[in-house]
Each structure stands twice: as C-alpha cells, then as structure tokens.
Amino acid sequence: MKCFSRYLPYIFRPPSTILSSSCHTEADIISTVEFNHTGELLATGDKGGRVVIFQREQESKNQPHRRGEYNVYSTFQSHEPEFDYLKSLEIEEKINKIRWLPQQNAAYFLLSTNDKTVKLWKISERDKRPEGYNLKDDDGRIRDPSTITTLRVPVLQPMDLMVEATPRRVFANAHTYHINSISVNSDYETYMSADDLRINLWNLEITNRSFNIVDIKPANMEELTEVITAAEFHPNQCNTFVYSSSKGTIRLCDMRAMALCDKHSKFFEEPEDPSNRSFFSEIISSISDVKFSHSGRYMMTRDYLTVKVWDLNMENRPIETYQVHDYLRSKLCSLYENDCIFDKFECVWNGSDSVIMTGSYNNFFRMFDRNTKRDVTLEASRENSKPRAILKPRKVCVGGKRRKDEISVDSLDFSKKILHTAWHPSENIIAVAATNNLYIFQDKVN
C-alpha cells in the first residue's frame, strides 16, 4: 500500500489551545470531525461546545503545494452547559456530531448536537457595511427628526471580511436519552436524530415537532437488553436508513412500509463462534459506528476489534472483515479495568469506497485497501509528523524479538487514542483527531 505511507501532515489545534499538547484542558478535546460535501471546509467540535471550521487554501501559482492546507475560517460556541431541573441532571456542552447540509447559496449550513439539543447553524461572510443612515448617526445614536433637513441615500462601504455564525433553528425537547447520531436525508428536507432507545425524524423547517420512527424502549426497563449505538440514512434512497445496536446487530428499515419502523426490513448479524465466546464477547461486539458507502451498495460497521463491510443484499455475514488491533485480544482484561474497552471508534470510506480508515490506540490509525487486501498502520503525533514529511508505517510487536522499527504491545499508550476521523469526499486528504490536536494529511505532492 505504497500511496498510504505518502501522506503529508499539517497540525492544527483549537484556537484556545495555545500551550503545548500536554497542557490541554478537557474542554479542548476534539469530539467530532466532518468535511463538507465539497471538501473545501472541515468542521470540528470539542467537549467545550465549540465548533471550529477550517477552510482550504486556494491554489496559488507561486505556492502550488499550499492547495491542500486548511486554515481557521470560523470559530463559534455552539452549545452551553445546561441543567435539567426536573431530573436534576447536568447536560454537557460537548459536541457529539456535526453534519453539513449541501450548499445552496453563498452561505453554509451545518447541524451540530450535544446530548439533548440539535442546532442548525448558518455560516456566512460579510465584507460590506451600510453607511449614511438618515435616522441615526454613524456611531449608531438616534438623531432628532427635527434636525434632519436633507435626505441621504445609504451606501455599502467595503470592510474587512467577517465570518458570522448564526443559529437558524434549535431542535430541542425530543430526546429523553443521550443523542449519539444525526444524519441528513438525501431529500435534504429532513434529518434524523438517534439516542439510546429512540430515533426521531425532523423537518429542517419545523422545530416544535418531530416524528418517532424507532422506539425500542421496553415497557419494563428491567427487560432492556440492547441500545441503539448509531444510525444513518441511505445516501440516495430517502426512505431507507440503518441503525446498529450494542448486541452487534444492524437493522435496515424502510419508512414506506410503516410510520413506526419497529419491524425492520433486513437484519444483519454475524453468527458468533462458540469457541471464541468469553466474558468480553458482548462488550467487544457492540457496534460503535455504521456508515453507508457512497454508492449505497455496502455499509461498514466498526466494533472494538474489527471493521466489517456488509453487502445490503446479504444479511447472514459480512463480505469483508478487517482486524484493526487483534493484538489487544490478550489485553481485554486490563482494557476492561481502565474502561478503554468501552471506547467508541468511528470509521470512514474514501471517496471511491475502495479504502476504509479507522482509529486505534497510541495515536495509530489504520487503512485497509479493499482491492489489494493490503493494510497499513500510521501514527499521528507531533514528534513523527513534521510538515511535508512522509509518514512511515508502524508495526506492533506481539511477542518474541522486537525489531528496531517495531513497538511492543506492552508499550502502547492507551490514553492516546484516535476515535474520530474524516476523509475528503473526492481527494486523498484525511483529518485525524488525536485528543486536542487535529492532523490533516494529504497524498504526496510531487
């Protein structure tokens, strides 16, 4: 996999993170990463409720290599900490997901959500300001009408470019449990939000009403055996969506069949090998992310140890299974004790659906080429990622004699983990979030 070791790093950090990476606060930790539909913008959300948007540099004849670089475009506070007085419950400001809407005009729109509330934001530019009002002075003070003797025509004067983020809609009070997913429908009029037990369908223009399309809450909560972990709309069939569960199953639903999609159209599950069953089997089989391919023919799921690719026409087993970090199988006991076994890793497709990427520990991230069946492990770290340097593949040594360029499985740092990644929709540019650092890698520019 030659091309995957030829990514060039650019390191960005949230504007508030101005000290070294070891001095970050909890609020600076990046919690979601998402490219827009053209790849010109990249949005990140953090645990402090902030959204930072990066814009790609325009191509320059003098510096053609700067085309791949992203610089800060806008920063705004999306969510604030709240308190539910009825339930005596604190609501974190942490941004769980960001989803872009396709651009329809000069402005950009995105959805961001914390545990309870989804917001629709408009990001727009302003480079002119009106001057020459009749009823107020240039400094904004109201003029006495009796002193006005002439009529002026206001004019627009140039000003420094200003990027404004304004909340256009707030979708609240529809989720009892924590929201884990939002997904924009291919009709671009509706979107869904999913929590542990329910999925709601919203119209982007209506904030005071949503439709419950999935409800798996049992009458007696003691009978609860699974929760919803992720949900996504099909990329081009507006009636179809999938949701995954903590039991390692995926359900595909068709909204044309019934209003409440409690009965699925398809059920995807891989039979468990009884010989491999252990105390941790149910925990590591829980699906943390599900993504449709861009073509809509396949979907990909990520559990703790593997990434699986499913054909929508075959429900009984995945067509491809990739081991992300199988060397951790012997470490599950210690990973359970330090709660790392409950980490939720995301997975992404490249633009042509030929390569998949997901994160691991020690700031490692993995890429799998579906055509050649080759894979590579790369590391996102400040020490190994100097600007315009070529990334070197990393290898983990499980036992026996360790080579010079290998790292022992016992030396892995489980506090350094890559949970959130994104891939440019059409180019070989990837974004990797490692704690409070955002790394952007691009294919080597010759």
Side-chain angles (χ1 to χ4, degrees):
M1 190 167 296
K2 188 177 179 182
C3 65
F4 293 144
S5 61
R6 295 158 60 114
Y7 280 83
L8 304 180
Y10 303 102
I11 305 174
F12 297 101
R13 288 183 289 168
S16 62
T17 315
I18 56 177
L19 301 175
S20 66
S21 59
S22 60
C23 299
H24 69 270
T25 64
E26 183 77 10
D28 294 326
I29 296 175
I30 298 173
S31 53
T32 184
V33 184
E34 187 79 5
F35 279 103
N36 74 338
H37 290 73
T38 63
E40 293 302 302
L41 297 180
L42 171 66
T44 67
D46 62 26
K47 288 191 173 183
R50 296 180 298 259
V51 172
V52 181
I53 300 175
F54 300 90
Q55 185 181 46
R56 194 177 186 186
E57 283 282 334
Q58 296 301 312
E59 192 165 6
S60 169
K61 292 182 179 179
N62 300 328
Q63 295 176 306
H65 66 273
R66 290 183 62 84
R67 170 65 178 150
E69 293 190 21
Y70 285 75
N71 292 316
V72 175
Y73 178 64
S74 176
T75 304
F76 60 93
Q77 188 73 30
S78 174
H79 288 72
E80 300 280 358
E82 299 177 49
F83 190 80
D84 188 331
Y85 292 96
L86 291 177
K87 299 180 180 178
S88 296
L89 188 69
E90 288 186 13
I91 303 173
E92 287 185 338
E93 64 270 36
K94 172 192 167 191
I95 306 298
N96 291 339
K97 295 289 179 183
I98 290 174
R99 291 291 180 265
W100 290 91
L101 274 66
Q103 189 177 7
Q104 307 289 348
N105 49 41
Y108 301 95
F109 289 87
L110 64 80
L111 291 168
S112 64
T113 183
N114 65 350
D115 286 340
K116 298 290 184 180
T117 304
V118 183
K119 294 183 180 181
L120 174 65
W121 289 89
K122 176 184 178 181
I123 295 92
S124 56
E125 297 180 354
R126 188 149 59 96
D127 60 359
K128 291 182 175 62
R129 67 172 182 268
E131 288 185 359
Y133 289 106
N134 290 285
L135 297 178
K136 60 182 179 181
D137 295 328
D138 291 338
D139 56 3
R141 289 180 298 181
I142 302 297
R143 298 174 62 186
D144 184 356
S146 62
T147 63
I148 301 174
T149 57
T150 58
L151 186 66
R152 295 188 295 177
V153 178
V155 294
L156 291 174
Q157 296 287 357
M159 59 175 281
D160 292 337
L161 178 66
M162 185 168 63
V163 181
E164 298 177 315
T166 52
R168 300 304 302 269
R169 307 274 188 278
V170 177
F171 306 89
N173 305 319
H175 285 276
T176 306
Y177 307 97
H178 291 178
I179 298 173
N180 55 48
S181 302
I182 51 175
S183 180
V184 180
N185 200 345
S186 59
D187 61 12
Y188 304 134
E189 293 182 0
T190 57
Y191 78 93
M192 69 177 173
S193 56
D195 64 25
D196 295 337
L197 297 179
R198 297 188 179 98
I199 300 176
N200 293 332
L201 180 69
W202 300 82
N203 187 296
L204 286 163
E205 299 295 325
I206 301 172
T207 61
N208 61 354
R209 184 173 69 252
S210 65
F211 298 94
N212 182 226
I213 54 176
V214 172
D215 188 347
I216 65 168
K217 182 182 178 182
N220 182 3
M221 284 294 282
E222 292 181 359
E223 299 173 2
L224 182 67
T225 58
E226 63 180 334
V227 295
I228 298 169
T229 56
E232 186 174 65
F233 268 119
H234 192 279
N236 45 51
Q237 296 176 10
C238 62
N239 54 283
T240 305
F241 68 94
V242 295
Y243 68 93
S244 58
S245 85
S246 56
K247 276 193 169 181
T249 61
I250 311 104
R251 293 171 173 84
L252 185 142
C253 302
D254 188 340
M255 292 189 292
R256 296 173 302 184
M258 58 186 72
L260 187 62
C261 300
D262 285 346
K263 293 183 179 179
H264 48 266
S265 301
K266 292 188 176 183
F267 183 77
F268 300 83
E269 182 180 25
E270 184 176 24
E272 185 185 12
D273 185 352
S275 63
N276 291 334
R277 179 150 187 87
S278 69
F279 171 78
F280 306 107
S281 295
E282 192 167 325
I283 301 174
I284 64 175
S285 66
S286 175
I287 294 174
S288 56
D289 196 17
V290 58
K291 294 276 174 62
F292 277 109
S293 63
H294 296 87
S295 67
R297 171 68 188 274
Y298 306 100
M299 66 179 174
M300 170 174 55
T301 59
R302 170 71 203 262
D303 57 40
Y304 190 67
L305 295 177
T306 66
V307 172
K308 296 173 182 174
V309 177
W310 303 77
D311 188 321
L312 295 189
N313 298 325
M314 191 168 75
E315 304 171 46
N316 59 339
R317 60 184 174 86
I319 58 171
E320 300 164 24
T321 300
Y322 300 98
Q323 300 295 333
V324 179
H325 38 217
D326 199 50
Y327 47 78
L328 295 181
R329 198 174 289 274
S330 61
K331 302 282 185 184
L332 292 178
C333 188
S334 58
L335 291 166
Y336 177 78
E337 290 174 355
N338 62 17
D339 284 345
C340 284
I341 201 170
F342 301 105
D343 286 335
K344 300 184 185 305
F345 293 93
E346 297 175 4
C347 52
V348 290
W349 302 87
N350 73 336
S352 61
D353 299 332
S354 60
V355 183
I356 56 183
M357 175 175 65
T358 190
S360 182
Y361 294 104
N362 208 69
N363 279 358
F364 288 168
F365 58 98
R366 303 269 284 140
M367 289 183 172
F368 304 92
D369 190 313
R370 299 180 59 211
N371 297 326
T372 65
K373 303 303 179 185
R374 299 171 72 183
D375 63 89
V376 69
T377 301
L378 300 173
E379 182 180 5
S381 69
R382 298 178 64 84
E383 295 77 18
N384 298 338
S385 300
K386 295 179 181 179
R388 314 216 61 75
I390 296 177
L391 285 183
K392 295 180 179 179
R394 301 301 305 271
K395 290 185 179 180
V396 178
C397 174
V398 180
K401 191 173 182 180
R402 182 172 65 88
R403 295 181 181 178
K404 182 180 179 181
D405 58 341
E406 292 182 338
I407 181 171
S408 169
V409 67
D410 297 318
S411 302
L412 296 176
D413 188 345
F414 293 106
S415 65
K416 294 179 179 179
K417 59 192 80 171
I418 291 178
L419 304 177
H420 313 289
T421 57
W423 201 308
H424 190 286
S426 58
E427 297 182 37
N428 273 343
I429 298 176
I430 58 174
V432 175
T435 318
N436 65 319
N437 292 318
L438 175 66
Y439 296 83
I440 299 178
F441 302 95
Q442 73 171 49
D443 221 351
K444 183 180 179 184
V445 180
N446 294 318

